């Protein structure tokens, strides 16, 4: 009896396609935003349209606005639906080690050479990618099952210099909470706790009055 092992590409494809994304009928949405950081509170509005173009309104403070814009961009870019071929058609995939949790390493070659992931039960549990001149490593601790793909619930992230390997900034822990609005799951709260040189800072982004457009 022979056991047929699926290829590293097929293993990764299954996890990639199991991520929760918004479909082609997504109408966009608007929300109120409350941003809390270091004892300060900022309130405004955000909007992401059907084409996933976004804007942040009624926030005057430039630092707060930039922080909120960063999160709204993250929301939009992670929910866009792109086929596996669009995202990874120029990459090759090879197996690495299996860790004590049963997660399997997948190393990328080709266009994304140097990147690696870990996959367990059709979920990407580790992302190690070169992005914009830094290396980001994200460990997913827990997920939220929507029935139409998974969303990360708790995870952490750390950045390193790709040349020296030296850590850039602190390690951040994320907690995401979602609300189902119509047929779509939308982020309603994100908390980011970052420890840098023994100092802990906490950012909280609360999205309320979530309403689909159109």
């Amino acid at each position: 009896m022979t056991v047929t092992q699926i290829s590293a590409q097929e293993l990764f494809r299954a996890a990639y396609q199991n991520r929760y994304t918004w479909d082609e009928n997504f109408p966009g949405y608007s929300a109120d935003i409350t941003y809390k950081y270091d004892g300060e509170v900022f309130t405004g509005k955000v909007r992401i349209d059907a084409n996933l173009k976004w804007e942040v309104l009624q926030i005057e403070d430039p630092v707060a606005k930039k922080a909120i814009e960063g999160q709204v961009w993250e929301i939009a870019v992670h929910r866009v639906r792109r086929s596996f071929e669009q995202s990874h058609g120029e990459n090759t995939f090879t197996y690495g080690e299996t860790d004590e949790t049963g997660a399997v390493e997948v190393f990328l070659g080709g266009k994304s050479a140097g990147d690696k992931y870990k996959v367990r039960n059709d979920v990407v549990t580790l992302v190690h990618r070169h992005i914009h001149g830094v290396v980001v490593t994200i460990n997913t601790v827990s997920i939220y099952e929507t029935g139409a793909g998974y969303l990360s619930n708790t995870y952490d992230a750390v950045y390193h210099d790709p040349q020296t390997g030296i850590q850039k900034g602190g390690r951040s822990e994320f907690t995401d909470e979602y609300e189902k609005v119509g047929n779509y799951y939308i982020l309603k709260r994100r908390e980011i706790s970052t420890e840098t040189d023994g100092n802990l800072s906490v950012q909280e982004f609360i999205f309320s009055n979530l309403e689909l457009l159109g």
Side-chain angles (χ1 to χ4, degrees):
M1 179 179 169
T2 58
V3 177
T4 305
Q5 185 184 44
I6 65 169
S7 69
Q9 179 174 337
E10 290 308 308
L11 183 87
F12 186 73
R13 181 199 294 268
Y16 177 88
Q17 294 176 340
N18 190 33
R19 298 171 310 122
Y20 176 79
T21 54
W22 293 325
D23 63 24
E24 63 278 2
N25 298 316
F26 178 67
Y29 71 96
S30 62
D32 295 339
I33 173 67
T34 301
Y35 172 51
K36 300 179 180 181
Y37 179 60
D38 279 354
E40 294 191 82
V41 179
F42 303 90
T43 57
K45 294 186 180 297
V46 301
R47 176 186 167 99
I48 298 178
D49 70 17
N51 297 315
L52 302 188
K53 298 280 192 295
W54 54 266
E55 55 184 343
V56 175
L57 308 165
Q58 299 176 21
I59 299 284
E60 301 299 327
D61 185 272
V63 176
K65 186 171 185 180
K66 185 177 181 182
I68 296 166
E69 286 177 338
Q71 297 307 310
V72 175
W73 176 81
E74 288 266 352
I75 292 167
V77 78
H78 283 110
R79 298 287 80 79
V80 67
R81 182 166 293 188
R82 301 178 75 217
S83 73
F84 184 78
E85 281 67 30
Q86 283 175 302
S87 295
H88 292 287
E90 297 178 52
N91 293 328
T92 59
F93 301 84
T94 54
Y95 279 122
E97 301 295 319
T98 301
D99 70 16
E100 66 280 359
T101 72
V104 182
E105 277 183 319
V106 176
F107 292 99
L108 271 61
K111 187 177 181 182
S112 298
D115 292 358
K116 75 171 181 177
Y117 297 84
K118 284 187 179 182
V119 176
R120 183 180 65 243
N121 298 332
D122 290 343
V123 171
V124 176
T125 60
L126 172 107
V127 174
H128 182 82
R129 288 185 63 197
H130 294 70
I131 308 174
H132 307 310
V134 297
V135 176
V136 59
T137 305
I138 300 169
N139 279 290
T140 297
V141 180
S142 66
I143 63 167
Y144 182 73
E145 283 286 4
T146 68
Y150 74 91
L151 289 159
S152 295
N153 173 222
T154 56
Y155 51 100
D156 59 55
V158 65
Y159 295 86
H160 289 90
D161 183 290
Q163 267 73 49
T164 65
I166 295 171
Q167 183 171 322
K168 298 167 74 77
R171 175 178 172 273
S172 296
E173 295 184 352
F174 295 76
T175 301
D176 288 355
E177 298 173 15
Y178 288 85
E179 181 177 324
K180 191 173 186 184
V181 184
N183 294 323
Y184 300 96
Y185 287 88
I186 296 173
L187 185 72
K188 69 175 182 179
R189 179 179 175 272
R190 172 171 288 164
E191 182 178 294
I192 308 173
S193 300
T194 305
E195 187 171 336
T196 309
D197 299 328
N199 298 313
L200 185 68
S201 66
V202 179
Q203 300 179 75
E204 188 178 10
F205 302 85
I206 302 166
F207 300 90
S208 55
N209 297 320
L210 297 163
E211 292 185 6
L212 297 179
L213 302 177

